[in-house]
Amino acid sequence: MKKAKLLIEHTYDFELLGLVSPVKDYKMAWLINRELDLNLIKYDDLLLEFMTLQA
């Protein structure tokens, strides 16, 4: 029996930036806010669950 695969290319409408630093998160946010005139705030972690299709 032949199998057909559905290939989906995901497109995302955002950019992700990661920072690694020995500075505490609240101090890093304060420094970035001050230097870049932003208003970063802390939110609770977001949990994403992806569904997988079983054959």
Side-chain angles (χ1 to χ4, degrees):
M1 171 184 269
K2 280 189 158 185
K3 292 185 180 180
K5 290 185 179 182
L6 175 62
L7 300 176
I8 300 174
E9 186 174 320
H10 298 281
T11 56
Y12 300 101
D13 190 23
F14 64 88
E15 293 183 27
L16 181 63
L17 173 67
L19 299 173
V20 177
S21 172
V23 178
K24 296 284 186 184
D25 55 353
Y26 58 87
K27 186 169 183 179
M28 178 63 78
W30 178 78
L31 289 168
I32 293 171
N33 284 341
R34 187 182 65 170
E35 293 299 318
L36 300 179
D37 195 28
L38 296 175
N39 188 26
L40 299 176
I41 58 175
K42 182 174 172 95
Y43 283 106
D44 292 334
D45 290 342
L46 179 64
L47 177 64
L48 297 176
E49 294 182 22
F50 293 95
M51 294 176 30
T52 58
L53 299 177
Q54 303 285 329

